[in-house]
Amino acid sequence: GQNIDQPTEMTATEGAIVQINCTYQTSGFNGLFWYQQHAGEAPTFLSYNVLDGLEEKGRFSSFLSRSKGYSYLLLKELQMKDSASYLCAVGNTNAGKSTFGDGTTLTVKP
Amino acid sequence: DAGVTQSPTHLIKTRGQQVTLRCSPKSGHDTVSWYQQALGQGPQFIFQYYEEEERQRGNFPDRFSGHQFPNYSSELNVNALWLGDSALYLCASSLVDRGRDGYTFGSGTRLTVV
């Protein structure tokens, strides 16, 4: 079976750094994805990790440790527009099913 | 470059009725996946279509069925609607051999069953 855990809510201040953690237990692991979903909108792809380590993409970075079943999304220089839900998803087979966590709602305050 | 298009955007149906949701994938994508997202939860995988065949299926009853057409567009059909089927239905397109690119999601169809 699949089990993905991430905090329900987080709050951070504009300009700060925030780390959103995700732990997973899964079979057939084929990569970990992060998506951003603003309220009432569709999720948008942020990052993909399949090997251990850090992937940096602008203000966003994502880390993976396969042995620990752990990932985090790091958001730097937070902006108000970063207020959204962040979904951690595990890919099970190549381009196949992804299993999503319930998302972490991030609120950025002035 | 058009993204993923879903129709309709909103739908209200009565318990027991049937519904068909439609999806046109992003140009160049060949794979369509359907997800159900209840309020406050993550998307739940329904099934995936590739080359007009159901490639994978999640834990959803047979009341949920789908189809993919030669132009890669797809339909999701739900029969004998339950109140619990009320949710946002998301269509996600991708390339079968580019899993690392993730999904491109449509804006979804908000289904309300009364």
Side-chain angles (χ1 to χ4, degrees):
Chain A
Q2 315 288 335
N3 191 38
I4 298 175
D5 289 314
Q6 47 182 134
T8 303
E9 296 180 336
M10 298 184 71
T11 302
T13 304
E14 192 176 15
I17 299 172
V18 70
Q19 178 175 311
I20 303 174
N21 296 324
C22 171
T23 58
Y24 63 90
Q25 294 173 318
T26 185
S27 57
F29 178 86
N30 193 45
L32 188 135
F33 300 86
W34 284 95
Y35 289 84
Q36 180 191 60
Q37 186 175 27
H38 285 101
E41 298 183 12
T44 56
F45 170 75
L46 290 177
S47 68
Y48 172 76
N49 295 69
V50 68
L51 300 176
D52 290 353
L54 188 69
E55 294 275 347
E56 297 187 77
K57 193 185 292 186
R59 293 190 300 116
F60 292 6
S61 303
S62 56
F63 173 83
L64 175 67
S65 170
R66 289 172 296 171
S67 62
K68 295 182 179 179
Y70 168 68
S71 174
Y72 67 73
L73 180 69
L74 193 71
L75 291 75
K76 303 174 187 175
E77 302 169 13
L78 281 172
Q79 302 175 10
M80 299 299 291
K81 67 178 182 179
D82 297 330
S83 292
S85 179
Y86 290 86
L87 298 162
C88 172
V90 173
N92 300 116
T93 58
N94 185 30
K97 167 186 174 181
S98 284
T99 301
F100 284 79
D102 284 338
T104 298
T105 300
L106 173 66
T107 302
V108 180
K109 296 186 173 180
Chain B
D1 181 23
V4 178
T5 305
Q6 290 189 245
S7 62
T9 54
H10 295 83
L11 203 53
I12 299 176
K13 288 286 189 178
T14 304
R15 190 174 43 183
Q17 285 189 314
Q18 178 266 343
V19 68
T20 297
L21 310 182
R22 295 176 175 82
C23 171
S24 292
K26 179 180 178 180
S27 178
H29 281 183
D30 55 13
T31 303
V32 173
S33 303
W34 286 92
Y35 283 83
Q36 180 195 67
Q37 187 174 27
L39 206 59
Q41 296 183 15
Q44 299 294 312
F45 179 77
I46 303 175
F47 41 52
Q48 182 182 82
Y49 279 85
Y50 170 67
E51 292 189 335
E52 303 178 50
E53 299 276 338
E54 184 182 283
R55 188 172 178 230
Q56 272 190 306
R57 188 179 182 91
N59 294 324
F60 279 80
D62 292 345
R63 298 187 296 109
F64 289 77
S65 63
H67 191 77
Q68 186 180 34
F69 299 93
N71 67 352
Y72 306 112
S73 67
S74 177
E75 289 182 350
L76 164 65
N77 300 291
V78 187
N79 293 323
L81 284 166
W82 295 10
L83 296 180
D85 295 332
S86 295
L88 179 67
Y89 288 84
L90 293 165
C91 172
S93 74
S94 56
L95 269 170
V96 71
D97 58 354
R98 290 289 300 177
R100 66 174 297 114
D101 293 343
Y103 291 131
T104 301
F105 282 91
S107 296
T109 294
R110 174 72 62 185
L111 172 65
T112 302
V113 182
V114 298

